[in-house]
Amino acid sequence: MNPHTVKTYGEELDQLSAEVILMGGLAEAQVADAVEAVARRDVALAQSVIQRDQRLDELEKDIERKAIRLIALRQPMASDLRKTVSAMKIATSLERTGDLAKNIAKRSLVISESEPMSGLTRSIERMGKLVSSRLRDVLDAYKGSKLDIAQAVWSSDTEVDEHYNAMFRELLTYMMGDPRTISACTHVLFMAKNLERIGDHATNMAEHIHYEVTGEDYMNERPKLTTMEP
Amino acid sequence: MKLYTRPLYAPDTSIGKPRDPSMTTSATTPKFVARDVKVYYGDKPALHGIDIDILDKSVTAFIGPSGCGKSTFLRCLNRMNDTIPSARVEGTILLDGEDLNDRKVDPVVLRARVGMVFQKPNPFPKTIYENVAYGPKIHGLATSKEEMDHIVESSLKKASLWNEVSDRLHQQGTGLSGGQQQRLVIARAIAVGPEVILMDEPCSALDPIATAKIEELIDELRQQFCIVIVTHSMAQAARVSQKTAFFHLGNLVEVGNTEDIFTNPKDQRTQDYITGRFG
């Protein structure tokens, strides 16, 4: 695409995307670290995840400020308008992703005090890796406006849902077998639910990327498992 | 109604309304149908074959960089290019199904049906009343002083100017502010009972408040008229029009719903222009 006649306008739009990419990198790391903190029972790492969440909140506010400023001062049109709006929406999704990662980290602190449940934490680790890779893909798609990657992320949400459902059943078995694990298992269940929600945010972001690039909304219903556990 | 046989003016009902009830149109009926319209200034082509339908009872905005042909095309719609000796127009433009370039068409009658408002307000150096009454007078639209008073009042009301000037109708029109002068010119155009109002950059000489008043007026007038506006302000095109047509280098690149043009244009040239990327 040709550069803007007004250079500073083009630079402001570029800055906005750059900040979303920066935020995306941080959110991705938050999820990966939170899951690692669970897997390794690493209290220091969990605490660092909790602390670093503030940075994501600040970035979201900053992106929102910049987008509002652009709308007010530059009146972006067409692809510029879509870029501005999707930056704002993706920033919100990333901020929520950060909150969910922080919540996983907090729960990891609680379960690190109980007996290790290596089978369960390995399941969380697997699910975490899957969700992290979807986040990474969706951010790559955003960086390069790659529709095919966004489309792939969008269509693969059922995989995460399946993981969640499998974990739900696994956790039920554990809790029925040994009621003393109910407290820890509930925390693990919430972690899995958080990861599933992060997967949904990745799907959201894929939709925003699709809108930004094509100007069209997704027409199809989202792929969803029909038998979803609570 | 034929372009060259104009029925007598009926002052109570006819201003701005189709005189023949069978001609009642809506925002889905094309008022103009232009096909392969080419304009040359001497040997130099200015338009390379424009195809467009312009809907009645709605606002169509023409946008595009200077020299793209948007004003040239606007001027084709009421044969203003006739006044330029070197200009030659080819192709057909139908107004309500009639070719307006037909030799039988009287351009003066055509221009009463298709009024025009220019960039700079150009009231006559006469009183406000005379400015508005001038057209109806030369077209013989009023048979009595009362009828003429009625035309002047209702035209000024339609142009949202009545309240500001009703107590000084016999003062000079040129003494009004720029925005009021522009609304006076619009009232003058409305007074002869047109069906179409063409506007060539009507707000470029006005401040934002006067501009907002004209835009509000355009929004009201589109209930009754077909309005075509040429504007350099993309934001204005987005605010006032339902359809937007983008011209570039003598071609009509893209025409569509205004919302679609400004959020998701189909052509790269439209995209580059409205986002400010033309070098």
Side-chain angles (χ1 to χ4, degrees), chain A residues 74-179:
Chain A
R74 306 287 190 184
Q75 289 100 41
M77 296 274 196
S79 60
D80 298 338
L81 176 64
R82 302 200 302 264
K83 194 173 194 172
T84 310
V85 170
S86 78
M88 247 166 118
K89 295 199 130 191
I90 290 176
T92 306
S93 270
L94 288 172
E95 192 272 333
R96 293 293 303 142
T97 300
D99 286 350
L100 294 165
K102 178 178 161 188
N103 188 270
I104 293 174
K106 277 183 175 168
R107 290 178 193 281
S108 84
L109 290 179
V110 180
I111 60 167
S112 69
E113 285 160 14
S114 53
E115 285 294 306
M117 300 179 289
S118 54
L120 280 179
T121 49
R122 264 201 300 279
S123 294
I124 282 285
E125 212 179 341
R126 272 199 304 277
M127 193 175 167
K129 284 215 169 93
L130 178 65
V131 170
S132 293
S133 80
R134 296 187 72 235
L135 259 186
R136 196 163 46 244
D137 287 349
V138 88
L139 291 165
D140 277 351
Y142 179 76
K143 235 183 279 183
S145 300
K146 293 177 192 145
L147 267 187
D148 50 337
I149 301 181
Q151 175 73 48
V153 171
W154 188 80
S155 346
S156 66
D157 194 43
T158 44
E159 213 178 322
V160 180
D161 293 347
E162 277 162 8
H163 253 277
Y164 172 71
N165 285 351
M167 279 210 70
F168 179 79
R169 282 190 294 270
E170 195 182 346
L171 283 161
L172 275 189
T173 329
Y174 265 91
M175 289 190 273
M176 284 189 293
D178 183 358

Side-chain angles (χ1 to χ4, degrees), chain B residues 151-191:
Chain B
I151 293 173
V152 170
E153 181 177 340
S154 72
S155 302
L156 285 168
K157 277 181 176 162
K158 282 200 169 72
S160 306
L161 190 58
W162 177 253
N163 291 341
E164 291 160 57
V165 300
S166 59
D167 55 346
R168 47 175 169 150
L169 290 176
H170 297 287
Q171 290 177 17
Q172 287 291 305
T174 46
L176 296 172
S177 73
Q180 288 173 327
Q181 285 187 24
Q182 197 62 304
R183 278 179 283 147
L184 176 61
V185 173
I186 293 172
R188 190 176 67 192
I190 293 172

Side-chain angles (χ1 to χ4, degrees), chain B residues 10-131:
Chain B
D12 283 329
T13 54
S14 63
I15 291 181
K17 290 178 187 157
R19 284 166 198 75
D20 179 354
S22 69
M23 273 184 51
T24 305
T25 54
S26 70
T28 54
T29 324
K31 189 76 181 165
F32 291 99
V33 176
R35 290 292 175 269
D36 201 26
V37 174
K38 292 176 180 160
V39 176
Y40 301 86
Y41 291 121
D43 295 334
K44 201 173 149 274
L47 289 177
H48 302 294
I50 305 297
D51 295 319
I52 189 174
D53 291 0
I54 296 172
L55 299 183
D56 200 6
K57 308 281 194 291
S58 66
V59 182
T60 303
F62 292 173
I63 59 169
S66 295
C68 68
K70 56 191 189 301
S71 289
T72 298
F73 185 68
L74 187 79
R75 294 161 62 87
C76 289
L77 299 178
N78 70 346
R79 286 182 51 179
M80 288 292 279
N81 290 320
D82 287 11
T83 61
I84 303 171
S86 66
R88 193 171 89 247
V89 180
E90 291 175 5
T92 54
I93 304 174
L94 306 181
L95 171 60
D96 287 335
E98 283 184 85
D99 188 349
L100 54 81
N101 287 310
D102 192 294
R103 279 168 55 196
K104 283 181 285 183
V105 171
D106 176 354
V108 176
V109 174
L110 171 67
R111 284 174 206 145
R113 281 183 68 187
V114 184
M116 194 156 189
V117 174
F118 298 89
Q119 185 169 2
K120 273 179 78 180
N122 55 351
F124 303 134
K126 290 169 178 288
T127 66
I128 293 166
Y129 184 95
E130 284 168 326
N131 260 284

Side-chain angles (χ1 to χ4, degrees), chain A residues 1-6 9 13 75-83 211 213-216, chain B residues 233-236 238 260-266 268 270-272 274-279:
Chain A
M1 197 182 285
N2 290 319
H4 266 280
T5 310
V6 181
Y9 177 19
L13 278 165
Q75 289 100 41
M77 296 274 196
S79 60
D80 298 338
L81 176 64
R82 302 200 302 264
K83 194 173 194 172
Y211 173 71
V213 176
T214 66
E216 314 279 343
Chain B
S233 160
M234 243 99 58
Q236 179 170 60
D260 298 334
I261 295 280
F262 287 107
T263 57
N264 190 17
K266 298 287 171 266
Q268 186 63 42
T270 318
Q271 164 80 31
D272 283 353
I274 64 175
T275 57
R277 285 188 166 86
F278 266 150

Side-chain angles (χ1 to χ4, degrees), chain A residues 59-74:
Chain A
L59 277 169
E60 190 215 4
K61 284 209 183 71
D62 196 53
I63 288 167
E64 196 175 292
R65 251 198 313 273
K66 284 196 164 96
I68 289 173
R69 188 174 176 277
L70 258 167
I71 293 169
L73 303 186
R74 306 287 190 184

Side-chain angles (χ1 to χ4, degrees), chain A residues 23 26-28 30-31 34 46 49-58 60-61 91-107 135 190-191 193-195 197-198 201:
Chain A
M23 197 181 166
L26 292 178
E28 191 192 317
Q30 288 285 81
V31 175
V49 169
I50 294 165
Q51 265 171 14
R52 279 183 283 157
D53 182 56
Q54 205 192 343
R55 177 81 181 115
L56 285 178
D57 295 353
E58 287 163 5
E60 190 215 4
K61 284 209 183 71
T92 306
S93 270
L94 288 172
E95 192 272 333
R96 293 293 303 142
T97 300
D99 286 350
L100 294 165
K102 178 178 161 188
N103 188 270
I104 293 174
K106 277 183 175 168
R107 290 178 193 281
L135 259 186
F190 273 115
M191 288 176 183
K193 186 70 192 166
N194 286 349
L195 288 172
R197 294 292 303 138
I198 292 170
H201 281 298

